[in-house]
């Protein structure tokens, strides 16, 4: 009989947690026991897994007894507190929050890019930020072939990156605008900050708290995580992260400077052959990735591939992916698959 | 008695035309006779001007008899056909379409940037593309102080850039999505092309027809018009133009490389003192421009001003403006004001 695993999903009732359960199911991950965990408030609810209702338990240190793999997606505070407890009890933690990503003892893994890093874990493996994951998947084959000097990225991020509350807020606000009613703002751009702005029919150039250097945390994640994932501190990344009224699917306008000149036709070929990427690129036929067509898909979609008009080593790309899937749940489950692959 | 002018507005019932009438009113332009013109289909409708209903006439060559200033915003085809007729009859044409912008005999004018060029006209003055106008207004003071080598811009464009039909389409699609009904797509990204995509809750990386070089016409407008307005073919501009579900107000993530290092605090001061610009820039206090707050305003709003993380001569900006006002109607009426200022 094939080996199975006790898998805990922390934040099982959240927007990403729901997708993690779905991914474990769809990808036939060898789950022996599923242990959905959440805050005390959500304990007692049920989630559906392989046709059965499974009761959600409160995420306490004891809840990790006997767990082999724990997928965390319940906020950085929960991970900081409970991930070490899970590790102490023998689990390997795959953490989807920002809590441990830059910890030198924690591998930051995108399987298509640096999958072998999972073996260096000391109990915790970090899942990168959604915006970073889709970008590095697209850049990996390009970097391998031409070398990568520099990245300037502007994002068009979906509200689901901020969870259920933000999804509901966009829907609620949109309905209010359409009906000519008053619009209330409670969640975006950042729930815990004091000012909240309407996202319906708007664009907000802030996706996380600010840092002292004038950038937001979301922007600095894209800088630091990209360098860590490629293991190359010389890659110069700058980012502008913007929230737009899209429910699901982050888009990115990415400019790269390469060490060598790149022919767009060859770039298309290289990307089409790379794992996890689908090239949709024919502007004359109006073919390009869009969040609506990338939603509910596991791949990273790349289009609008064209040479910079002035720098022969410069290339522009348009990269779209489902932020809840490859940007979060799919990547986490892929890491779990890598982990158990050695047991086969 | 002060001199007054017979002013024709071609496309008077369109989204931009409506704003032109409003601007002429609000800015107390010395209109003696207003002559609203439109297609045969719209002839007979009325528009409101200074409290009176004025009947819209069909835009024919003869309709320009006696016109001093003709503001055109009814599509490139109409301008190509009728602007020369208006000029032949003694009018000065201020054209808001792409028809004449790159014509070496036609000045391309943003009053804050190159206002003196209006005097070089031979009958036609072109109003630049909306995306270009707001960007060059923001870049002018920066270029004057530090010199400008290069621009990489990604846009977040409102649907109103594509007129009433696109505005109605976004509203109709949004209502359908919210009500769980079927969504129809007829206008965006480009009415005359064969494929139309949903803009509600989506992002479409195409704002105009494609060019042979892999860029869209909207993107190439930003490149060529910026160079022409600054009178400097050495400025290296690259653009990615994207439509997002916003009704009014284009946003732009702009990266510039300067000839000299720029201190962000000094840049803020220089921009705040420049005409037509409002600086909204304090990320720690969540202050930045957004399309919702820039809508129905005539200025260009600039925020998120910060140094590039790796290039001391690199600077990032977030530039927002109402595409129907400064991006179109306001700029056109400002040009008309410049024209008549010499008569005073």
């Amino acid at each position: 009989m094939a080996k199975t695993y006790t898998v805990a999903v922390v934040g099982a009732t959240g927007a990403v947690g729901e997708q993690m359960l779905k991914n474990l199911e769809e990808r036939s991950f060898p789950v022996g026991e599923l242990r959905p965990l959440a805050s005390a408030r959500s304990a007692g609810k049920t989630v559906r897994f392989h046709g059965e209702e499974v009761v959600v338990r409160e995420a306490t240190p004891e809840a990790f007894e006997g767990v082999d793999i724990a997928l965390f997606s319940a906020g950085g505070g929960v991970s900081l507190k409970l991930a070490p407890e899970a590790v102490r009890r023998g689990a390997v933690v795959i953490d989807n929050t920002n809590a441990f990503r830059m910890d030198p003892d924690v591998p930051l893994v995108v399987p298509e890019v640096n999958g072998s890093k999972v073996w260096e874990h000391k109990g915790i493996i970090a899942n990168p930020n959604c915006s970073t994951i889709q970008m590095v998947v697209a850049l990996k084959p390009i970097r391998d072939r031409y070398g990568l000097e520099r990245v300037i990225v502007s994002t068009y991020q979906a509200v689901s990156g901020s969870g259920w509350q933000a999804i509901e807020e966009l829907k609620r606000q949109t309905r209010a605008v359409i009906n000519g009613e008053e619009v209330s703002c409670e969640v975006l751009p950042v729930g815990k900050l004091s000012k909240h702005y309407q996202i319906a029919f708007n664009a907000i150039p802030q996706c996380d708290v600010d840092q002292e250097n004038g950038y937001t945390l979301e922007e600095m994640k894209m800088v630091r995580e990209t360098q860590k994932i490629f293991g190359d501190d010389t890659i110069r990344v700058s980012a502008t992260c913007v929230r737009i009224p899209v429910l699901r699917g982050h888009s990115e306008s990415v400019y790269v400077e390469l060490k060598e000149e790149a022919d767009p036709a060859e770039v298309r070929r290289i990307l089409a052959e790379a794992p996890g990427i689908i090239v949709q690129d024919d502007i004359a036929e109006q073919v390009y990735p869009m969040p609506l067509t990338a939603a509910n898909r596991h791949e990273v979609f790349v289009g609008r591939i064209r040479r910079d008009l002035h720098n022969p080593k410069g290339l522009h790309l348009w990269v779209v992916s489902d932020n809840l899937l490859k940007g979060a749940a799919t990547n986490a489950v892929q890491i779990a698959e890598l982990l158990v692959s050695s047991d086969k």
Side-chain angles (χ1 to χ4, degrees), chain A:
Chain A
M1 213 180 119
K3 191 165 162 46
T4 62
Y5 302 83
T6 297
V7 178
V9 174
V10 187
T13 58
V16 171
E18 184 187 76
Q19 299 300 323
M20 284 175 164
L21 297 177
K22 215 170 150 202
N23 261 272
L24 289 169
E25 253 186 36
E26 289 177 359
R27 300 174 74 96
S28 303
F29 191 85
V31 178
E33 180 197 337
L34 177 80
R35 204 172 292 176
L37 305 175
S39 65
R41 211 182 50 233
S42 292
K45 289 183 182 174
T46 60
V47 293
R48 252 192 121 65
F49 189 66
H50 282 305
E52 302 197 0
E53 298 293 327
V54 187
V55 177
V56 176
R57 290 168 52 181
E58 183 179 351
T60 60
E62 297 70 32
F64 294 96
E65 292 291 349
V67 167
D68 298 306
I69 297 172
L71 304 174
F72 273 71
S73 189
V78 173
S79 291
L80 281 171
K81 191 177 148 209
L82 290 178
E85 299 286 351
V87 172
R88 194 167 303 139
R89 286 165 177 81
V92 177
V93 167
I94 301 169
D95 183 36
N96 192 44
T97 77
N98 193 42
F100 303 103
R101 286 179 188 149
M102 297 312 295
D103 186 327
D105 283 340
V106 174
L108 184 66
V109 177
V110 179
E112 293 89 340
V113 181
N114 65 342
S116 64
K117 286 279 170 190
V118 295
W119 311 118
E120 298 176 12
H121 80 80
K122 298 176 181 174
I124 302 176
I125 300 165
N127 211 32
N129 185 43
C130 43
S131 318
T132 310
I133 293 177
Q134 66 184 70
M135 185 170 81
V136 297
V137 168
L139 294 186
K140 167 69 159 60
I142 294 172
R143 178 171 183 268
D144 284 352
R145 169 65 184 80
Y146 307 101
L148 182 59
E149 292 274 3
R150 176 174 206 201
V151 182
I152 297 172
V153 55
S154 297
T155 70
Y156 303 65
Q157 297 186 221
V159 298
S160 49
S162 297
W164 286 124
Q165 285 189 305
I167 294 172
E168 288 309 316
E169 176 158 276
L170 172 55
K171 289 181 180 172
R172 189 185 67 242
Q173 289 179 348
T174 303
R175 199 173 284 117
V177 172
I178 289 289
N179 294 335
E181 296 160 2
E182 205 179 321
V183 174
S184 68
C185 306
E186 292 157 24
V187 180
L188 291 170
V190 184
K192 66 184 170 190
L193 293 183
S194 61
K195 293 178 190 165
H196 298 116
Y197 302 123
Q198 180 181 324
I199 184 63
F201 303 103
N202 199 15
I204 306 179
Q206 173 171 32
C207 291
D208 205 329
V209 296
D210 72 294
Q211 306 283 278
E212 281 168 16
N213 63 355
Y215 288 78
T216 61
L217 179 55
E218 183 83 0
E219 291 160 353
M220 293 311 297
K221 285 176 189 170
M222 294 192 78
V223 177
R224 297 186 194 118
E225 293 179 15
T226 300
Q227 293 176 338
K228 178 165 175 175
I229 293 165
F230 283 126
D232 179 357
D233 284 351
T234 69
I235 301 175
R236 296 174 293 151
V237 182
S238 272
T240 301
C241 291
V242 181
R243 193 75 66 189
I244 64 169
V246 163
L247 290 163
R248 198 164 169 167
H250 288 353
S251 305
E252 297 175 347
S253 171
V254 183
Y255 167 74
V256 290
E257 273 174 19
L258 308 170
K259 290 195 203 297
E260 292 175 27
E261 286 189 27
D263 171 49
E266 190 184 49
V267 172
R268 273 177 216 114
R269 202 164 53 242
I270 289 170
L271 289 175
E273 288 166 1
I277 295 177
I278 294 181
V279 174
Q280 295 178 326
D281 191 23
D282 187 349
I283 183 69
E285 294 295 324
Q286 299 185 260
V287 174
Y288 32 70
M290 294 182 286
L292 268 191
T293 46
N296 299 301
R297 301 284 299 270
H298 296 279
E299 300 88 353
V300 172
F301 297 83
V302 187
R304 299 298 323 274
I305 301 163
R306 60 210 194 278
R307 214 189 279 257
D308 185 74
L309 291 165
H310 312 280
N311 182 349
K313 295 180 183 173
L315 203 67
H316 296 269
L317 315 165
W318 175 251
V319 180
V320 183
S321 191
D322 187 321
N323 53 300
L324 297 180
L325 294 180
K326 184 57 189 169
T330 303
N331 198 71
V333 174
Q334 284 177 318
I335 292 172
E337 287 171 350
L338 266 182
L339 270 178
V340 305
S341 64
S342 65
D343 292 344
K344 279 175 187 161

